[in-house]
Amino acid sequence: MATENLSDYKDIWVFAEQRQGKLMNVALELIGEGYNLSREIGADTKVCALLIGNNIDDLAKECFEYGADKVYLVQDPLLENYTTDAYTKVITDAIHEYKPEIVLYGATHIGRDLAPRVAARVDTGLTADCTHLNVKLGSYIEYAKENTTLNTDNLDPNDPDTGLKMTRPAFGGNLMATIICPRTRPQMSTVRPGVMSKRERVEGAVGEIENVNVKLTAADIRTELIRVVRETKEMVSLTDADIICSGGRGLGGPDGFKLIKEFADKVGGVVGSSRACVDSGWIDHSHQVGQTGTTVKPTIYFACGISGAIQHLAGMQNSDIIVAINKDPEAPIFEVADYGIVGDLYKVIPEIMERWDAE
Ligand SMILES: Cc1cc2nc3c(=O)[nH]c(=O)nc-3n(C[C@H](O)[C@H](O)[C@H](O)COP(=O)(O)OP(=O)(O)OC[C@H]3O[C@@H](n4cnc5c(N)ncnc54)[C@H](O)[C@@H]3O)c2cc1C
């Protein structure tokens, strides 16, 4: 059933995912993106963080400092740990009560579990894994012309429409698709961590807090959380890394990652990988950069022996500086690289390491 009156819906909500009292980075990135969108929609559009948990009042301050105008605070002992049923219910109730125009979720395990279920409950659409969002047609056309092959010929840049244009890779990353949700509200999307930018933190910033009335009983939750088991293997934090040294099939085998690790240690970076190496069992999936791995945006991204397949580029092309090392001068990675070094990575990397300290 379509939403009856679209104009009843206003403001941009971000599901401010927290785990064990710590906000996920993607939530802060989405608050930043929400701010950009709100400025395009109009001055009275607020960016609101939807903060759910128990004893998490402190986190509201962080949301304000990163740009939220308002925090909807949903607290209850039954929300201490994430459960699909409880979170779905409280978000669905809140959407019905407050009617946000847009709701953004991080494409984390939790966001991907939650958002489709909420979409089904409130009977609206959801675009998963967006890499770009626009509201004004003018800015969308500009973006689409520069970054995609999407046809914008029939669009009028002065059209006042401010519906959300949600762009994401489609068909295995071979083309981009822009999806709209014209008949129902809220417009919802999940966005991968690392794709959008946080705003500069403003210490001491304040905003409005709305304590949301929770109508939840234990009977609403069909699962029982017995224990939380933390992963003990070493996890790489690709999304937060400033420098990433990634290896591809050009390494020739798993031992090549010893050189990449040495390189990363030398330059103060972390180890990334193409999917080819992950599929070959040379390195764990947690290192994979790309469409089906992690999206990254470091200051420097070293691509060593990586050809530059579109699915890899989808995860790293927004890096500030891309340095490609490849022995094939025609490798597509050179098209996105700021610095390209044609040569054998086993010769080039030791040279860079040698000079790193000297520079
Ligand atoms: C649905 C889907 C999702 C995908 N998701 C991802 C993803 O998330 N991430 C991802 O990376 N891929 C992904 N892929 C796979 C992607 O299409 C490519 O197959 C993969 O990225 C190739 O990895 P590569 O560049 O390491 O290997 P290759 O394409 O084989 O390239 C190896 C490169 O190394 C160079 N080389 C060889 N030896 C040396 C040397 N000694 N010194 C320097 N250079 C050398 C070669 O010239 C070549 O350019 C996906 C594919 C599909 C279909």
Side-chain angles (χ1 to χ4, degrees):
M1 188 181 65
T3 307
E4 278 158 25
N5 195 352
L6 302 194
S7 60
D8 287 348
Y9 290 73
K10 63 178 173 48
D11 295 340
I12 299 173
W13 280 18
V14 170
F15 167 58
E17 182 181 338
Q18 58 84 24
R19 295 188 195 170
Q20 277 85 46
K22 192 176 174 309
L23 277 171
M24 303 293 284
N25 244 327
V26 67
L28 304 175
E29 291 164 3
L30 291 180
I31 290 173
E33 179 61 11
Y35 177 86
N36 299 338
L37 298 174
S38 72
R39 290 312 171 266
E40 284 194 32
I41 296 177
D44 59 345
T45 300
K46 289 193 182 119
V47 185
C48 309
L50 178 62
L51 200 46
I52 305 174
N54 193 30
N55 297 324
I56 46 158
D57 307 64
D58 294 357
L59 299 183
K61 178 174 172 282
E62 205 176 333
C63 294
F64 295 138
E65 292 184 342
Y66 279 97
D69 301 303
K70 183 169 181 174
V71 167
Y72 287 91
L73 195 53
V74 192
Q75 300 199 84
D76 191 279
L78 289 171
L79 296 166
E80 175 89 36
N81 288 300
Y82 173 77
T83 56
T84 312
D85 285 334
Y87 271 50
T88 303
K89 176 152 190 344
V90 296
I91 296 181
T92 303
D93 288 349
I95 288 175
H96 283 140
E97 183 169 353
Y98 299 101
K99 300 191 181 348
E101 187 179 1
I102 292 173
V103 185
L104 306 177
Y105 306 78
T108 60
H109 292 300
I110 286 180
R112 286 173 193 218
D113 178 56
L114 185 59
R117 193 170 281 245
V118 173
R121 291 274 176 94
V122 300
D123 210 357
T124 192
L126 171 73
T127 307
D129 269 355
C130 294
T131 51
H132 202 85
L133 300 170
N134 293 95
V135 284
K136 280 231 169 106
L137 257 178
S139 65
Y140 167 69
I141 293 170
E142 230 170 81
Y143 159 76
K145 277 191 175 151
E146 268 177 35
N147 300 285
T148 72
T149 53
L150 287 161
N151 186 353
T152 56
D153 292 350
N154 294 330
L155 301 177
D156 171 7
N158 299 315
D159 188 320
D161 164 66
T162 55
L164 191 61
K165 286 97 191 145
M166 300 170 271
T167 307
R168 54 154 296 156
F171 295 102
N174 290 318
L175 54 85
M176 301 300 278
T178 299
I179 294 162
I180 54 173
C181 178
R183 284 185 292 276
T184 57
R185 291 292 181 268
Q187 305 161 96
M188 306 214 302
S189 60
T190 62
V191 178
R192 282 192 177 208
V195 174
M196 304 300 181
S197 300
K198 281 186 219 172
R199 296 189 73 212
E200 195 84 21
R201 185 170 192 161
V202 179
E203 298 280 348
V206 288
E208 188 190 340
I209 295 185
E210 172 104 22
N211 287 299
V212 177
N213 195 8
V214 182
K215 296 171 226 115
L216 193 65
T217 65
D220 292 317
I221 305 170
R222 291 169 293 176
T223 48
E224 187 187 345
L225 183 79
I226 296 170
R227 185 156 64 100
V228 177
V229 181
R230 300 259 173 81
E231 184 92 62
T232 50
K233 76 176 172 187
E234 195 191 343
M235 295 297 289
V236 269
S237 183
L238 288 169
T239 36
D240 297 332
D242 209 30
I243 299 181
I244 296 176
C245 302
S246 277
R249 195 159 19 212
L251 291 174
D255 283 350
F257 276 102
K258 287 185 191 152
L259 176 65
I260 298 293
K261 175 81 172 87
E262 214 183 303
F263 184 24
D265 289 346
K266 169 65 96 184
V267 301
V270 300
V271 175
S273 169
S274 72
R275 174 162 157 180
C277 306
V278 174
D279 287 350
S280 304
W282 299 354
I283 192 162
D284 187 76
H285 177 262
S286 58
H287 294 265
Q288 185 182 315
V289 171
Q291 189 193 316
T292 43
T294 305
T295 305
V296 299
K297 205 165 39 169
T299 311
I300 311 179
Y301 187 87
F302 288 99
C304 314
I306 293 177
S307 60
I310 189 159
Q311 297 89 354
H312 189 79
L313 302 186
M316 46 63 79
Q317 62 194 353
N318 290 331
S319 307
D320 291 348
I321 299 172
I322 297 171
V323 183
I325 305 165
N326 198 301
K327 65 181 185 186
D328 173 8
E330 303 297 324
I333 191 75
F334 288 126
E335 284 166 31
V336 298
D338 299 282
Y339 298 95
I341 304 171
V342 178
D344 182 345
L345 65 92
Y346 285 100
K347 292 196 180 121
V348 176
I349 294 176
E351 272 189 50
I352 299 178
M353 290 199 288
E354 210 177 293
R355 292 199 202 174
W356 190 265
D357 289 332
E359 295 300 317

